[in-house]
Amino acid sequence: PMMLIDIVLAHSFTSTTSTTASLAFDFSSQPWVEAQQAAGVTVDKAVSDIHAAMQHGAAHHAMQTVPHLVLLDLDWYSNDLRPLVARWCLIWLHYASQANISALGTNSELLGYLESKSTLTPADSTLPQVGSGYKLANLARDWVESILPHAISKINRVTYGLISEAQNSGSKNPTRALCAVPFIGKDVPSRTSEFAHPDVLIGLTVLA
């Protein structure tokens, strides 16, 4: 979900306070307010905790800040940042599902699932909202568990990036013209390669 990319892009290591003002979403709208209530955490609290963890990670060399935010230590992500990211994503789950996600389990059970620590066993698996809820939960878990740490561990213009029209000359593939592509070195894009996973492609394109 773009909420995960958004909170990475919104963080500033030069600021001592966290704010939701730079986020792309309007969390004051009623659906978002209800989602926060259902998740049991406010956006302000979730953002503050994530940004504090990022500051701590940078201070202990688990993340680097130059040329931009880059994850260096996957174990640190799993132990320190992933639980906070899962809680942030829980707000999105409640917003996107419009209460259907509650049919899968409690917030505690959903958090365990997002961190791949447990499975979901809904009381009544025949409920129609369970199917759509699982799809959202699986998408969120993939992002929390693997896609987000994979994306933010790469360096823009070194391992991925957007290419110019001149660099894409001769290619008839519109994807390479609009989306991030793999790089083989500093400012040297691969001539033909593309990212195969659609969510990785989307995430890296937004980051680029």
Side-chain angles (χ1 to χ4, degrees), residues 4-89:
L4 297 181
I5 296 295
D6 192 27
I7 200 169
V8 171
L9 294 176
H11 181 55
S12 171
F13 284 97
T14 61
S15 175
T16 57
T17 59
S18 295
T19 177
T20 59
S22 56
L23 296 175
F25 297 85
D26 178 16
F27 294 107
S28 63
S29 64
Q30 189 60 30
W32 280 112
V33 171
E34 294 175 355
Q36 294 173 69
Q37 293 172 345
V41 62
T42 65
V43 165
D44 287 338
K45 173 63 174 173
V47 169
S48 176
D49 288 350
I50 289 176
H51 286 179
M54 289 179 176
Q55 294 280 8
H56 182 269
H60 290 79
H61 309 294
M63 307 188 85
Q64 72 180 43
T65 61
V66 178
H68 55 76
L69 179 70
V70 181
L71 176 65
L72 302 176
D73 189 338
L74 288 175
D75 288 336
W76 173 85
Y77 173 85
S78 297
N79 296 327
D80 292 65
L81 192 57
R82 184 178 65 180
L84 303 177
V85 169
R87 189 175 59 171
W88 173 245
C89 207

Side-chain angles (χ1 to χ4, degrees), residues 122-135:
D124 186 355
S125 59
T126 63
L127 293 174
Q129 59 264 41
V130 167
S132 60
Y134 262 126
K135 292 178 182 178

